[in-house]
């Protein structure tokens, strides 16, 4: 859990980059930005009443709850397993899972430099790992092993759109 308090000491960008180089992120549903700020997120799933047990019918939304410029992490987790990476015009998108639990996936946007300087990393505790990632001028698109495609606007990843992966081997 991460405490969010605007009166607390600001977690500076240097510490965020140190943690990123160690492949760590706050434990929970967050987007950690290279400038030291943090977006608190919540994954919501809903289904039509007549399709409660059909995973394809689920609507997924990752809600942006709070933007924090001052926050104190109480628990960090490893985001150390990378399954996919893609470069485009001086940037790199990467995706994978946390060794902390198999349901935790992460997606990151970095500069494609020697240090892979962090722009942002998104961590979801119930997305499942992200096995594929693509990058273009406007969007980082990551495919979860749970049959969902997450499209993150590069400059506002908290506005992610989640859709069904038509290539996923759905079972009812």
């Amino acid at each position: 859990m991460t405490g969010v308090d605007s009166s607390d000491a600001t977690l500076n960008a240097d510490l965020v980059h140190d943690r990123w180089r160690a492949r760590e992120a706050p434990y929970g549903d967050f987007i950690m930005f290279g400038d030291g700020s943090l977006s608190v997120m919540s994954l919501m799933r809903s289904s039509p009443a007549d399709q409660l047990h059909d995973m394809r019918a689920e609507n997924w939304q990752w809600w942006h709850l709070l933007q924090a410029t001052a926050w104190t992490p109480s628990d960090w987790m490893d985001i150390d397993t990378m399954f996919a990476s893609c470069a485009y015009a001086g940037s790199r998108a990467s995706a994978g899972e946390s060794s902390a639990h198999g349901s935790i996936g992460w997606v990151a946007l970095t500069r494609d430099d020697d240090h892979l300087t962090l722009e942002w990393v998104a961590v979801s505790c119930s997305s499942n790992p992200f096995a594929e990632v693509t990058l273009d001028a406007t969007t980082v698109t990551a495919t979860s092993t749970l049959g969902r495609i997450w499209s993150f606007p590069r400059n506002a990843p908290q506005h992610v759109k989640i859709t069904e992966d038509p290539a996923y081997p759905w079972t009812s």
Side-chain angles (χ1 to χ4, degrees):
M1 179 89 153
T2 297
V4 179
D5 185 341
S6 61
S7 65
D8 246 346
T10 300
L11 182 64
N12 65 33
D14 290 339
L15 181 56
V16 165
H17 287 281
D18 288 346
R19 291 293 189 156
W20 167 247
R21 284 189 289 278
R23 292 300 181 259
E24 295 176 328
Y27 186 86
D29 289 299
F30 300 105
I31 302 172
M32 183 174 71
F33 293 88
D35 67 0
S37 63
L38 185 83
S39 285
V40 180
M41 307 296 289
S42 179
L43 182 61
M44 305 298 287
R45 298 178 191 183
S46 61
S47 296
D50 61 340
Q51 295 175 305
L52 292 177
H53 302 291
D54 184 353
M55 288 180 57
R56 291 173 291 189
E58 286 184 349
N59 179 31
W60 285 29
Q61 294 182 323
W62 210 35
W63 290 100
H64 179 240
L65 302 177
L66 176 70
Q67 184 73 25
T69 56
W71 52 282
T72 304
S74 58
D75 196 10
W76 293 88
M77 69 175 157
D78 293 326
I79 51 171
D80 49 357
T81 304
M82 184 185 315
F83 292 141
S85 180
C86 177
Y88 176 85
S91 294
R92 178 165 296 277
S94 305
E97 75 174 328
S98 171
S99 58
H101 194 276
S103 64
I104 302 171
W106 62 269
V107 178
L109 178 64
T110 64
R111 292 186 208 133
D112 196 19
D113 58 18
D114 291 339
H115 304 288
L116 294 177
T117 304
L118 182 68
E119 297 292 327
W120 53 262
V121 60
V123 179
S124 171
C125 287
S126 49
S127 62
N128 267 20
F130 291 98
E132 298 176 23
V133 69
T134 60
L135 173 63
D136 63 28
T138 61
T139 309
V140 175
T141 304
T143 304
S144 165
T145 61
L146 203 53
R148 300 292 168 183
I149 298 171
W150 296 52
S151 300
F152 297 89
R154 287 176 62 144
N155 295 324
Q158 64 275 23
H159 299 296
V160 63
K161 301 285 184 224
I162 305 171
T163 57
E164 174 188 331
D165 179 0
Y168 185 76
W170 294 99
T171 59
S172 300

